[in-house]
Amino acid sequence: DNKFPEFPVVLIHLPFLESVDLSNNEISSIPVSITEITCLTRLNLKSNYLHSLPVELGSISSLRTLEVEGNNLSLCCQCSLL
């Protein structure tokens, strides 16, 4: 609950990171470069300002848990994450 205004890009340089909890912040977008965190198994983005997620998020094969409740996400026909 740090009220980050954006995704902390420094995390991209930690490819062996397994769990990220960025809930209750003010993040409005997730960079495509998040796919560089190749060992990510859990990503908590609850209660931010997200309107969409990058489709590339689906290419993180290790990702097992994605929490996005409390955002204003729109469902689009190109989403392959669900």
Side-chain angles (χ1 to χ4, degrees), residues 2-69:
N2 298 307
K3 298 301 177 204
F4 287 119
E6 57 188 37
F7 187 91
V9 182
V10 68
L11 297 179
I12 302 303
H13 303 290
L14 302 169
F16 298 109
L17 196 60
E18 293 182 7
S19 181
V20 174
D21 186 342
L22 290 170
S23 60
N24 300 302
N25 283 287
E26 298 175 353
I27 299 169
S28 60
S29 66
I30 303 301
V32 171
S33 57
I34 193 171
T35 59
E36 295 177 32
I37 309 175
T38 55
C39 293
L40 191 63
T41 60
R42 179 180 176 268
L43 179 59
N44 184 345
L45 298 169
K46 290 181 185 178
S47 300
N48 277 282
Y49 298 147
L50 297 171
H51 292 282
S52 65
L53 295 171
V55 174
E56 291 83 2
L57 202 56
S59 70
I60 304 175
S61 61
S62 59
L63 189 61
R64 297 292 176 249
T65 305
L66 175 62
E67 299 173 86
V68 293
E69 298 88 355

